[in-house]
C-alpha cells in the first residue's frame, strides 16, 4: 500500500524528500513571500529546458545527464503547467540525447505530452538556437535552464544570445541544496 498518490519522483528520493518537494510547492503557491532562492512554480509561458550531455557508446545515459534529468524532473513537478524541452543530438547507437532524456523522463512518470524533443543540437550554441525555435512554436517566451553548474555560465550566455529570456537556472547540486536534502551520496 502506498502512502502517496504520486509515483516516486526520483529513485533515490525518500518519502520524506517527496514530502519536502510537495511542501515547497504548496509554500510557493500559497505564500508570495516564499524564499527567493527556492524553486517557484512557473506557468505555460515558461519552458523547462534540460540540456543534454554525451551518451555512452551504447546509448545509455551518463551519471551527469541523469543528475540533470533529476533536477529537471523536480522543476517539472514544481511547475506542473510548464512544457519540458530536452535538447541534444549527438546520437550513440541510433539514439539522440534528447530521445534518451525523454525516455528517462517518461519512465519516471512525466506525461509524454509535456515533453518536447530538440534532437539536432550538437553544441551549447545549437541547444540555445534550436530551443529558441521550439519555444517560439510552443508560445513560451521564457525558460528555466537546467544544466550542470560548471556549464551554466556558457549555457546562460548562449541562451541569452539566442534571445531567450531565462527566468531561472538550476544545476543538480544547486537544486539538491536548495531543497535541503543534505549531502548527495
Amino acid at each position: 500500500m502506498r502512502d502517496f498518490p504520486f509515483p516516486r519522483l526520483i529513485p533515490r528520493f525518500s518519502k520524506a524528500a517527496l514530502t519536502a518537494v510537495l511542501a515547497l510547492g504548496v509554500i510557493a503557491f500559497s505564500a508570495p513571500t516564499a524564499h527567493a532562492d527556492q524553486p517557484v512554480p512557473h506557468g505555460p509561458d515558461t519552458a523547462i529546458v534540460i540540456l543534454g550531455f554525451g551518451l555512452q557508446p551504447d546509448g545509455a545515459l551518463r551519471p551527469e545527464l541523469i543528475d540533470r534529468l533529476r533536477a529537471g524532473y523536480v522543476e517539472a513537478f514544481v511547475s506542473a503547467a510548464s512544457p519540458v524541452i530536452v535538447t541534444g543530438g549527438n546520437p550513440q547507437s541510433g539514439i539522440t540525447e534528447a530521445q534518451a532524456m525523454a525516455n528517462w523522463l517518461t519512465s519516471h512518470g512525466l506525461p509524454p505530452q509535456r515533453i518536447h524533443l530538440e534532437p539536432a543540437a550538437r553544441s551549447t550554441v545549437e541547444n540555445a538556437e534550436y530551443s529558441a525555435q521550439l519555444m517560439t512554436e510552443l508560445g513560451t517566451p521564457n525558460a528555466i535552464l537546467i544544466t550542470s553548474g560548471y556549464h551554466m555560465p556558457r549555457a546562460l550566455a548562449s541562451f541569452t544570445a539566442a534571445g531567450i529570456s531565462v527566468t531561472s537556472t538550476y544545476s543538480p547540486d544547486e537544486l539538491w541544496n536548495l531543497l535541503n536534502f543534505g549531502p548527495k551520496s
Side-chain angles (χ1 to χ4, degrees):
M1 186 166 108
R2 296 173 79 172
D3 296 329
F4 285 91
F6 303 103
R8 286 185 76 185
L9 286 179
I10 297 173
R12 65 180 176 188
F13 274 19
S14 66
K15 288 184 180 179
L18 178 57
T19 301
V21 170
L22 289 172
L24 182 61
V26 170
I27 290 168
F29 276 116
S30 64
T33 58
H35 295 288
D37 61 346
Q38 293 178 343
V40 295
H42 294 273
D45 65 337
T46 303
I48 300 163
V49 182
I50 308 170
L51 276 68
F53 186 83
L55 301 172
Q56 295 182 28
D58 65 355
L61 301 169
R62 295 185 190 273
E64 184 165 343
L65 183 52
I66 292 171
D67 286 345
R68 291 179 185 186
L69 288 165
R70 286 180 175 144
Y73 195 90
V74 169
E75 184 60 42
F77 184 79
V78 172
S79 298
S82 293
V84 177
I85 296 173
V86 289
T87 175
N90 303 314
Q92 293 291 333
S93 292
I95 188 166
T96 63
E97 295 166 28
Q99 185 61 59
M101 293 163 62
N103 292 346
W104 188 94
L105 290 167
T106 56
S107 73
H108 287 81
L110 196 67
Q113 63 271 19
R114 283 192 66 196
I115 303 169
H116 303 273
L117 280 69
E118 184 295 292
R122 298 165 299 184
S123 68
T124 305
V125 169
E126 289 182 357
N127 287 139
E129 291 172 354
Y130 301 157
S131 292
Q133 292 170 5
L134 186 52
M135 288 172 62
T136 298
E137 292 170 18
L138 294 171
T140 55
N142 307 304
I144 301 167
L145 194 56
I146 310 285
T147 191
S148 304
Y150 72 86
H151 184 241
M152 192 62 73
R154 182 174 67 210
L156 186 55
S158 296
F159 275 72
T160 301
I164 296 173
S165 172
V166 177
T167 61
S168 301
T169 62
Y170 290 108
S171 68
D173 289 335
E174 180 181 51
L175 192 57
W176 189 267
N177 292 335
L178 286 175
L179 297 175
N180 296 315
F181 291 141
K184 278 179 68 175
S185 53

